[in-house]
Amino acid sequence: MSLTFELLRIIGTPYYDKPYSSDIREDTDLFDVAFKNRVELLYLEKLRKSGKLCQLTERYDNLIMRHRETLITVERIAELLNSKDAPYVIIKTFRLYPAVPNDVDILFMGSDEDYPDAIEVMKQAGYVLFEIAPGQALFCDPRGAHQMRTDKKG
């Protein structure tokens, strides 16, 4: 059986919380496949719930910490933008399953004229501006600016 198929049998789907296989095993190659497919935390959660998480515990702990930090970042940004009555939507950040996004995507819903003001609000709050292009800006939370990666590989 291919690793991808084995992984799918272990993690199931977000709509059916039980694995399709009772043969759940911890394996670094399976973890690598899960990582490439952005379901690494889901795989590790399945291992933890089945009592089979051992050698990948440190990776699990790291992902849980990153997940918590992402939630703090979302909360801080939401509080900031809400305090300025800025219209926005957070997109592509949350999943129906345990996951750690690479970033928090915020869609500014205000006018083009108000967009520069929104960027300035983020900068004044301490967010680090890395790049700016028409219609988009790349910021980093100042709590993690030293960890900023722009290659989007995990």
Side-chain angles (χ1 to χ4, degrees):
M1 170 180 345
S2 75
L3 288 174
T4 301
F5 189 68
E6 182 178 356
L7 176 65
L8 288 172
R9 290 179 61 82
I10 291 170
I11 64 174
T13 75
Y15 310 105
Y16 183 72
D17 195 31
K18 297 178 182 159
Y20 292 106
S21 172
S22 60
D23 185 27
I24 298 175
R25 67 184 180 97
E26 182 181 50
D27 182 83
T28 56
D29 290 334
L30 278 171
F31 177 82
D32 290 343
V33 171
F35 184 84
K36 288 176 188 171
N37 289 283
R38 310 288 305 139
V39 293
E40 66 273 23
L41 186 54
L42 178 58
Y43 170 62
L44 295 177
E45 278 287 340
K46 296 290 183 174
L47 289 174
R48 186 187 65 78
K49 287 179 180 177
S50 68
K52 297 187 178 183
L53 181 63
C54 297
Q55 68 186 36
L56 296 173
T57 299
E58 187 175 328
R59 290 184 187 185
Y60 173 79
D61 292 341
N62 179 270
L63 289 170
I64 290 296
M65 182 207 51
R66 284 180 56 199
H67 179 75
R68 287 182 186 138
E69 288 297 318
T70 298
L71 293 178
I72 291 168
T73 296
V74 167
E75 181 180 6
R76 287 169 33 93
I77 291 170
E79 286 175 357
L80 173 65
L81 295 176
N82 288 342
S83 75
K84 302 296 182 182
D85 291 325
Y88 70 95
V89 178
I90 296 172
I91 60 171
K92 301 187 316 178
T93 299
F94 301 109
R95 308 278 192 284
L96 295 175
Y97 54 88
V100 179
N102 284 320
D103 56 16
V104 176
D105 292 315
I106 302 164
L107 182 60
F108 179 69
M109 302 296 290
S111 69
D112 289 345
E113 293 80 26
D114 291 337
Y115 182 67
D117 293 337
I119 290 174
E120 193 58 34
V121 163
M122 297 288 289
K123 286 170 42 179
Q124 287 179 1
Y127 289 87
V128 180
L129 179 62
F130 274 90
E131 291 180 38
I132 191 161
Q136 64 181 9
L138 175 61
F139 285 95
C140 185
D141 187 323
R143 298 174 313 116
H146 63 284
Q147 300 171 353
M148 177 71 176
R149 292 178 59 186
T150 57
D151 59 3
K152 289 194 165 200
K153 291 183 181 172

